[in-house]
Amino acid sequence: MLLAEQRRLLCEYGRRAAETGLVVGTAGNLSARAGDLIAVTPSGVSLDRLEPEACPVIDVEGHLVEGELQPSSETPMHLAVYTTTDARAVVHTHSTFGTVVATTMTELPPIHYNTLLLGGTVRVADYATFGTPELAANVRAALKDRRAALLANHGGVTVGDDLHKAFEATRLLEWLCEVYVRAKSVGEPRVLTEEQLSAVVQRAFSPPRFPRRED
């Protein structure tokens, strides 16, 4: 079976996405690339019921290489990422708070310094019908120099060097969106300035060194 490990991981992280409420039913899709081949979740199958052999394998041009089921209808979006970035995994969800922000905002501002882990302010890609070249192009633009983007009135997408990193980026994106939505119910969230974010970067690259105790 081609890309056996990637297909196994699609099932593992698909189940995790369902169990943690990041997807409902057949919504959402994942993919993982190895060389010129891509394993992707199939169309019309709930992520919590996936089996490795059900996940089709395609090439970078979208041709079906192995598998009986059709690839996800969002495959054009995944291919747009793989052909323009060095990502090796893509996770797309319809998570609750991410979709709330994607339905109401043009971007998710940096209200917490962990936004930097996603590359900075999270852009919201312009709306287009799912599965279309237009949506793929909009997502590609929103992901420029970022690990995450939101899709207007739709959901979110994250990328990574592997499925674990892409999935963790999805979890972080949803957490940031939830913090923002809950903060709005209390007042207007404070947004970190460029100076404050730069200070976080400097701190990360120059951590404090604690002297060793002399007994």
Side-chain angles (χ1 to χ4, degrees), residues 176-199:
L176 290 168
C177 288
E178 181 174 357
V179 169
Y180 183 84
V181 170
R182 292 187 182 278
K184 286 286 284 186
S185 70
V186 177
E188 189 59 31
R190 290 188 295 272
V191 176
L192 296 177
T193 65
E194 287 296 328
E195 181 180 3
Q196 290 170 326
L197 292 173
S198 295

Side-chain angles (χ1 to χ4, degrees), residues 43-58:
S43 178
V45 178
S46 296
L47 294 184
D48 60 348
R49 298 179 182 178
L50 277 182
E51 295 295 336
E53 58 273 15
C55 298
V57 174
I58 59 176

Side-chain angles (χ1 to χ4, degrees), residues 125-211:
D126 291 339
Y127 180 80
T129 305
F130 75 91
T132 60
E134 291 78 15
L135 179 61
N138 293 348
V139 170
R140 183 171 57 225
L143 276 173
K144 184 178 181 181
D145 302 321
R146 297 290 189 273
R147 291 186 59 208
L150 292 165
L151 288 60
N153 301 84
H154 188 155
V157 61
T158 60
V159 302
D161 296 335
D162 53 38
L163 271 170
H164 173 73
K165 291 179 181 178
F167 184 77
E168 288 305 305
T170 289
R171 292 181 62 212
L172 175 58
L173 175 62
E174 178 68 356
W175 180 79
L176 290 168
C177 288
E178 181 174 357
V179 169
Y180 183 84
V181 170
R182 292 187 182 278
K184 286 286 284 186
S185 70
V186 177
E188 189 59 31
R190 290 188 295 272
V191 176
L192 296 177
T193 65
E194 287 296 328
E195 181 180 3
Q196 290 170 326
L197 292 173
S198 295
V200 171
V201 174
Q202 293 174 9
R203 184 68 168 178
F205 282 99
S206 301
R209 297 183 62 86
F210 297 94

